[in-house]
Amino acid sequence: MASVKEMRTRIGSVKSTQKITKALQMVAAAKLRRAQLAAEAAKPYARGMASVIANLSAGVSGPNAPLLLAGTGSDKRHLIIVATSDRGLAGGFNGGIIRAAREKISALLAEGKDVKIITVGRKARDGLRRLYADRFVENYEIGTKAPGFALVKPIATRVLEAYQAGDYDVVTLVHSSFKSVVTQTPRLLQLIPAQVEKSDAPAPFYDYEPDEDVILAALLPQNISVQLLTALLENQAGFFASQMTAMDNATRNAGDMIKALTIQMNRTRQAQITKELIEIISGAAAV
Amino acid sequence: MARIAFDLISPEKLLLSVEADMVTVPGTEGYMGVMAGHSPLVSTLRAGMIDVKVGSQDDRYFIRGGFAEISPAKITVLAEEAIPMTELDLAVLDQRIEDAQSDELSADNDLDRLKAAQLVDDLKLVRAAF
């Protein structure tokens, strides 16, 4: 059995681990609030955009419909954008996203489709590198700042240029949707061809200035950036929520461990004292 | 007089949500004043000023492009960037003009160049009025 001294060092090391996890948990909690607000605040814009596009696209169809809305008519070549966080220590957050992406990719490959991958966030790159490194087109990192248009623009431009050049038929985004602080679920979102919500309510009869095609042609690419941004903001909020929960658990586990180790240490020490006493007493009795 | 609900939304947040008497927006085909009962319209916006009149109060916002969705009871402006006039300073504006100018120079096709040139002109107009 380990000596009392060894156990004391062990307890010390667990204690300092606990301090770190505790600090991480508090940092995550503080950041979570801000990330959650940002994710909420970005929603009206995305919603407004979606509703205008839905109205517009109801009137535009057939051969004149923009490529981004109608698609290329084939679904042979897929581009998967996988968005995770840069950092770990967040329980199953990144694992869930990567698993969903992997399932989708292997399903597509099994159907004989062609798949390329763009990763956003260091963990997505690390998680998919072993299996699909040869399919990577580009790897983006999120960096330390909160996701904004500066981060999203280059990604959107890259995707749109490749799409316009005819490299892909379908573009799908994999990220984590932020349901609440306790639940975040991985979500697959088809970016191109654009998914339009069909509403049953008759579309209001809008005038368009300039005409519909021009507006739609301007809006659809922008919508890609907006959807990417909202996805990344949701990811950010989900990441901090997940990290907070994971670190809370870790802190509690460390506490349990310290308690168990302390009891064990006390027992050992007690046993040693008892042993010494017996030796003294039996020594005295022998005289 | 009936009022019209006005939402000004930038990608980061809902900037303003009020009942306004009149809202003037910089449409691609010219500034337009929107009041309650306007016919339904969707228009793209150029860089410029949004003018919100509520009673005797008059607030102004700088926006850099976007679009507006107008129905008789409501106008929603989705701006690529929106800054209240009180928070806007010349340095920011000059920075935007510089950015747009470098975009114009580095554009690799005519359409992008035209767009950037338009943005530069619009921004200069805003700066002149500042």
Side-chain angles (χ1 to χ4, degrees):
Chain A
M1 193 181 271
S3 75
V4 174
K5 184 156 186 283
E6 273 167 21
M7 273 191 242
R8 200 167 282 145
T9 11
R10 179 88 198 280
I11 291 174
S13 99
V14 177
K15 263 189 187 152
S16 46
T17 308
Q18 189 189 28
K19 268 183 205 150
I20 296 170
T21 57
K22 180 92 193 154
L24 265 175
Q25 186 225 328
M26 288 194 292
V27 171
K31 286 187 174 167
L32 166 65
R33 206 161 314 135
R34 224 174 313 143
Q36 215 176 335
L37 286 178
E40 284 299 320
K43 271 186 187 152
Y45 194 86
R47 218 178 295 133
M49 196 122 191
S51 92
V52 172
I53 288 178
N55 285 336
L56 275 166
S57 57
V60 184
S61 57
N64 293 329
L67 211 57
L68 288 174
L69 187 64
T72 51
S74 142
D75 66 340
K76 183 89 188 64
R77 289 157 307 162
H78 286 252
L79 174 68
I80 312 277
I81 305 173
V82 186
T84 60
S85 63
D86 271 353
R87 291 166 178 283
L89 294 180
F93 178 77
N94 289 317
I97 299 173
I98 291 167
R99 201 172 318 119
R102 219 182 273 159
E103 275 165 19
K104 173 81 179 167
I105 293 167
S106 55
L108 285 172
L109 287 175
E111 290 171 31
K113 314 272 194 221
D114 190 19
V115 181
K116 293 281 179 215
I117 303 167
I118 286 183
T119 62
V120 184
R122 223 177 295 151
K123 287 288 162 188
R125 187 195 59 199
D126 296 348
L128 295 170
R129 183 162 46 190
R130 198 168 52 81
L131 285 172
Y132 303 116
D134 51 331
R135 301 182 180 277
F136 284 172
V137 181
E138 185 89 58
N139 307 105
Y140 293 94
E141 282 188 15
I142 298 194
T144 46
K145 275 196 280 178
F149 260 96
L151 171 70
V152 167
K153 259 276 139 60
I155 307 175
T157 315
R158 177 78 202 248
V159 171
L160 285 168
E161 272 170 8
Y163 191 78
Q164 237 93 46
D167 292 351
Y168 310 112
D169 300 315
V170 182
V171 180
T172 313
L173 171 69
V174 187
H175 75 114
S176 170
S177 84
F178 183 80
K179 297 234 162 66
S180 73
V181 176
V182 280
T183 33
Q184 304 93 36
T185 43
R187 176 169 63 183
L188 297 151
L189 184 72
Q190 186 179 313
L191 292 180
I192 309 174
Q195 296 285 52
V196 177
E197 309 154 32
K198 292 268 181 293
S199 67
D200 293 332
F205 208 75
Y206 282 107
D207 279 332
Y208 296 98
E209 203 177 283
D211 51 36
E212 291 165 87
D213 303 347
V214 179
I215 298 186
L216 203 52
L219 281 188
L220 286 171
Q222 211 189 328
N223 192 36
I224 304 283
S225 314
V226 171
Q227 280 183 314
L228 265 174
L229 182 65
T230 23
L232 289 185
L233 286 171
E234 272 194 54
N235 252 9
Q236 188 87 345
F239 168 73
F240 286 128
S242 194
Q243 183 169 56
M244 191 180 78
T245 325
M247 287 303 117
D248 188 38
N249 281 338
T251 311
R252 209 165 310 136
N253 288 345
D256 291 348
M257 203 158 160
I258 290 171
K259 223 179 273 168
L261 281 172
T262 314
I263 290 174
Q264 206 189 342
M265 182 184 80
N266 287 343
R267 279 215 188 110
T268 321
R269 199 186 55 203
Q270 202 62 54
Q272 215 169 345
I273 293 170
T274 315
K275 205 176 93 194
E276 277 170 22
L277 273 178
I278 291 173
E279 275 166 11
I280 293 169
I281 292 168
S282 46
V287 174
Chain B
M1 196 171 68
R3 290 189 162 178
I4 186 164
F6 171 59
D7 283 354
L8 176 59
I9 308 172
S10 74
E12 282 82 23
K13 63 175 185 214
L14 179 66
L15 211 64
L16 181 73
S17 179
V18 291
E19 299 280 320
D21 289 317
M22 180 165 103
V23 183
T24 310
V25 295
T28 309
E29 294 172 3
Y31 273 85
M32 51 189 171
V34 179
M35 298 164 86
H38 197 284
S39 66
L41 171 76
V42 172
S43 172
T44 50
L45 303 178
R46 54 168 68 189
M49 289 298 180
I50 287 188
D51 199 355
V52 188
K53 275 198 174 61
V54 183
S56 57
Q57 206 188 338
D58 194 350
D59 289 326
R60 304 180 83 193
Y61 293 85
F62 163 74
I63 63 159
R64 198 192 62 192
F67 64 95
E69 182 187 9
I70 302 166
S71 66
K74 188 170 171 68
I75 163 166
T76 309
V77 170
L78 300 181
E80 280 168 36
E81 184 184 23
I83 305 172
M85 207 49 197
T86 46
E87 288 167 27
L88 183 70
D89 58 49
L90 274 181
V92 175
L93 205 51
D94 284 335
Q95 182 61 45
R96 296 286 179 279
I97 293 178
E98 228 168 82
D99 289 350
Q101 271 166 341
S102 70
D103 279 353
E104 185 183 352
L105 289 177
S106 65
D108 52 5
N109 59 54
D110 287 344
L111 191 65
D112 284 352
R113 198 171 306 122
L114 200 68
K115 268 189 201 161
Q118 182 71 56
L119 185 58
V120 173
D121 289 348
D122 290 339
L123 288 170
K124 280 188 175 154
L125 273 180
V126 173
R127 195 183 189 288
F130 192 63

